[in-house]
Amino acid sequence: MVRHFLRDDDLTPTEQNEVLELAAELKKNPLSRRPLEGPYSVAVLFDKTSTRTRFSFDAGIAQLGGHAIVVDAGATQIGKGETLDDTARMFSRFTKAVVWRTYGQDRVETLAAHSEVPVVNALTDTFHPCQVLADLQTIRENKGSTAGLKMTYFGDGANNMAHSLMLGGVTAGMHITIATPDGFVPDPEVVEATRARAEQTGGSITIIGDARAAAEGADVLVTDTWVSMGQENDGLDREAVFRPFQLNDEIVALSESDSIVLHCLPAYRGKEITAEVIDGPRAVVWDEAENRLHAQKALLVWLLEQSRS
Ligand code: CP
Ligand code: NVA
């Protein structure tokens, strides 16, 4: 059966652990796994802009012995209306996997439903699961493990990062707190999926409107842009709404004394995070960015192996 990675709960807790163990191994020995030797190709498509995702997949696929076909989806026939069903059938004949950054989650789901090769979500409006694998790898490096740790996210509780941190975080046994204003709470379906997963792992999910209370006792502090891709012209005054949820020194001081700070990047200093925090001693954002490479390589190796058996 072909396996896809469209949302964080597509991996069971055991499977997520396997991918993260492999990611750590590949970080030590980058060229030790070469499943794409040939080279075989992987399609890497973008409907939205990207720096880290584009470069880390391209570099990672090369290190796995393969060739990345990196294309802006608008320049393909998808942009002219060729169906996703037909596109998926065609990709399966050329490539070993398809990686796609797009808008609706339904789009990656439709592509996967008709694909004979693994499909990887490289960010949709609803999830950013590859980022959270890298985040979990970074937490493991700094804290030794993830189970039982408290991770608080500040900002837009309805965006892709909030959703993936919830679902991926509880899969790793973490206690997740989402600090967000009214009107930006996470999607109820994702909350329900997160609760269901938390029951299996001993993790938990809390959604609150008080950023200071949310910071108390946190081992990991995370934030993300207040304006996600596609929301630039939605007419909402996000700055006024999210300002009380800024990750600044005052908030960091309320967390555990050895807490770490994550940000998926790109960061907007003075908005969702201050320069003092992102450029300060608790931030591990550059390791986090590097771990995109290792975590995604591990994910591809794992998906290719699973899809063969
Ligand atoms: N964090 C992340 O996905 O970055 P890019 O948008 O640059 O790919
Ligand atoms: N929430 C952000 C993440 C960017 C990596 C966005 O969707 O733009």
Side-chain angles (χ1 to χ4, degrees), residues 232-251:
E232 293 83 356
N233 301 308
D234 67 5
L236 294 176
D237 184 359
R238 289 165 174 272
E239 189 142 353
V241 182
F242 290 124
R243 181 64 59 183
F245 297 85
Q246 183 191 62
L247 190 44
N248 52 36
D249 277 340
E250 202 186 316
I251 291 289

Side-chain angles (χ1 to χ4, degrees), residues 48 101 123 128 159-161 224-225 227-229 264-266:
K48 294 176 175 175
R101 167 169 288 193
L123 180 149
H128 195 3
N159 81 5
N160 40 25
M161 279 307 299
D224 183 23
T225 179
V227 186
S228 285
M229 291 178 275
C264 66
L265 307 174

Side-chain angles (χ1 to χ4, degrees), residues 8 11-14 16-17 20 132 136-137 139-140 145-149 151 165-176 197-198 201-203:
D8 307 80
L11 294 177
T12 66
T14 307
Q16 184 195 65
N17 182 56
L20 292 172
V132 168
L136 293 171
Q137 183 177 0
I139 296 165
R140 286 163 76 131
S145 64
T146 48
L149 293 180
M151 173 157 69
L165 286 163
M166 286 162 53
L167 208 41
V170 300
T171 299
M174 299 182 81
H175 300 295
I176 311 299
R197 185 48 71 86
T201 63

Side-chain angles (χ1 to χ4, degrees), residues 43-58:
V44 187
L45 297 162
F46 291 90
D47 278 318
K48 294 176 175 175
T49 51
S50 167
T51 304
R52 276 145 291 272
T53 306
R54 185 178 288 248
F55 282 74
S56 57
F57 269 109
D58 198 341

